[in-house]
Amino acid sequence: AGYYFMLVNLYANPYSKETADATMGVPLNLTEYIEEGYFSRDPVAAVYRQIVTDLENAIVNLSGIKQPTIYRVNEKAARALLSRVYLYMGEWQLVIDECDEIIKMGCSLWDLNNFDPGTATFGCKRDYFLAKESPEIFFTQGAGVVGLLMDNQNITSQTRYRASDELYGIYSKYEKDGILDLRKNCFFEMSKRDNGYFFVRKNPMFDATVFDSFLLRSGEIYLNKAEAQAMLDQADAINTMKELMNKRYADHKLPVIDGLSGKELIQFIREERRKELCFEGHRWFDLRRYGMPSISHLYKVRKSASWQTYTLNEKDPLYTLPLPSA
């Protein structure tokens, strides 16, 4: 289910109830043995039905199984991925149902008021948000990719990427009101080499124990539930968000959201989602399901070159990767 979810969101158009039966997805190969032959593409709806079926079967078969380690799935992990799949499908009540089941099973959040970001000094003791000791992790597999692309441990390293000014800036949005988002210092650190640039420090570059390439954790559950509630115009979306935000803002002093509703509330939840889940593999897929808005990025071909801008236009075909010809 996890692999097909990745494939269909890379190589097919986003799920839409109106077009999913007609839009081509990826080939479904459901046999466990090797076959020689050509596999045709199945509709997006068929791929999603298979994903849901696999996860429903996983939930049944994992029920009552004790998880020996975060590197082995359990029922909670299967339900977490299913809640994400339903979110992409726009099945709002089903999202809420799965998230409620997870919360009943236990969905702990790390209170960042008790988080020690430490410093970038070599050998300094510091907390990492994505660590196996975190109470938030349901399941993780793959590799710690972001640390390799944002190496800030070695001042001579050829780091290729940094956090965008836009992303880093939204963590300071409420500071003028004396409201501090603790994720800014817990998730980021200043470049040792380029003043004013920031790198992600959710997990250590070396000896990572939680892997950002595939991760299921409790923070996403509250965001999935809140967005689904907001899409159904349920006022409880605000209380769901407060449960998460109470653990993310200094001294539990939160942005005022009690008066938000409709599109304003949905936009607020999605901005919190961007901040909470940054560099965990969500943003690209989220932009696709939001309607593929126009986005721009600054880049340099080399350090001495001038900045250039690459723009991906609204609903650009490049939001979907082409299938390889062979």
Side-chain angles (χ1 to χ4, degrees):
Y3 291 138
Y4 267 117
F5 182 72
M6 295 289 289
L7 286 171
V8 77
N9 277 283
L10 289 171
Y11 293 103
N13 287 339
Y15 183 93
S16 167
K17 291 181 181 180
E18 293 74 22
T19 62
D21 284 309
T23 303
M24 286 295 95
V26 295
L28 281 172
N29 177 9
L30 304 179
T31 59
E32 74 279 9
Y33 48 83
I34 297 173
E35 293 183 84
E36 183 178 355
Y38 178 82
F39 286 87
S40 60
R41 296 174 70 178
D42 289 272
V44 167
V47 178
Y48 268 83
R49 281 196 295 269
Q50 186 61 49
I51 292 168
V52 170
T53 297
D54 286 348
L55 288 170
E56 288 176 339
N57 288 338
I59 289 167
V60 171
N61 285 285
L62 290 167
S63 178
I65 301 297
K66 182 176 174 58
Q67 185 185 38
T69 166
I70 59 172
Y71 311 114
R72 292 287 185 267
V73 293
N74 62 359
E75 180 185 350
K76 192 187 300 185
R79 289 188 182 277
L81 184 53
L82 184 55
S83 78
R84 187 189 303 179
V85 173
Y86 282 146
L87 188 75
Y88 282 47
M89 297 174 71
E91 297 289 352
W92 311 123
Q93 187 56 53
L94 294 177
V95 175
I96 296 168
D97 292 344
E98 290 303 325
C99 291
D100 282 342
E101 286 296 321
I102 294 166
I103 291 170
K104 283 194 296 185
M105 297 169 72
C107 194
S108 300
L109 293 166
W110 191 343
D111 188 342
L112 296 189
N113 284 278
N114 303 320
F115 186 99
D116 179 12
T119 66
T121 306
F122 181 77
C124 175
K125 182 184 181 303
R126 59 201 306 205
D127 287 335
Y128 286 96
F129 185 74
L130 298 184
K132 64 182 181 181
E133 296 80 17
S134 168
E136 301 206 5
I137 310 301
F138 298 158
F139 173 69
T140 182
Q141 70 170 12
V145 177
V146 172
L148 299 177
L149 300 177
M150 293 191 173
D151 174 18
N152 197 31
Q153 301 298 315
N154 187 342
I155 198 169
T156 63
S157 67
Q158 297 299 308
T159 303
R160 294 176 289 280
Y161 298 97
R162 66 178 178 91
S164 71
D165 295 334
E166 179 190 358
L167 172 63
Y168 188 73
I170 61 177
Y171 292 89
S172 303
K173 188 172 182 177
Y174 306 104
E175 288 183 1
K176 64 182 184 299
D177 300 317
I179 300 170
L180 304 180
D181 192 328
L182 296 168
R183 291 169 293 195
K184 184 170 76 169
N185 290 329
C186 297
F187 291 1
F188 299 91
E189 65 184 21
M190 184 177 288
S191 168
K192 295 178 180 179
R193 186 176 53 192
D194 299 306
N195 187 38
Y197 292 172
F198 291 84
F199 295 97
V200 178
R201 53 136 300 170
K202 279 189 165 182
N203 54 10
M205 177 184 174
F206 302 106
D207 300 323
T209 57
V210 171
F211 310 122
D212 47 52
S213 57
F214 194 94
L215 172 61
L216 297 164
R217 66 177 181 87
S218 56
E220 181 190 351
I221 302 309
Y222 290 95
L223 290 161
N224 291 352
K225 180 180 177 181
E227 184 173 338
Q229 289 173 315
M231 295 299 288
L232 293 175
D233 292 321
Q234 294 182 4
D236 275 348
I238 291 174
N239 292 328
T240 301
M241 282 304 301
K242 285 181 178 180
E243 289 188 58
L244 173 65
M245 294 160 59
N246 265 315
K247 309 295 186 181
R248 301 299 188 245
Y249 285 86
D251 303 319
H252 311 291
K253 185 177 179 181
L254 311 180
V256 178
I257 62 172
D258 290 310
L260 296 184
S261 62
K263 290 183 179 180
E264 285 186 325
L265 179 57
I266 293 167
Q267 180 58 36
F268 176 85
I269 293 168
R270 289 178 172 178
E271 186 169 87
E272 286 293 310
R273 182 181 183 88
R274 183 182 184 185
K275 291 192 288 183
E276 175 72 19
L277 301 178
C278 68
F279 299 98
E280 294 180 29
H282 291 267
R283 183 63 176 166
W284 177 252
F285 289 179
D286 279 342
L287 288 171
R288 283 165 45 87
R289 69 184 180 88
Y290 295 162
M292 298 181 284
S294 177
I295 55 174
S296 296
H297 282 285
L298 292 172
Y299 72 96
K300 289 183 179 182
V301 294
R302 56 186 174 276
K303 188 172 182 179
S304 59
S306 59
W307 286 104
Q308 300 183 55
T309 301
Y310 177 80
T311 299
L312 191 66
N313 296 315
E314 184 178 0
K315 300 190 184 304
D316 197 304
L318 292 178
Y319 259 107
T320 300
L321 300 181
L323 286 174
S325 58

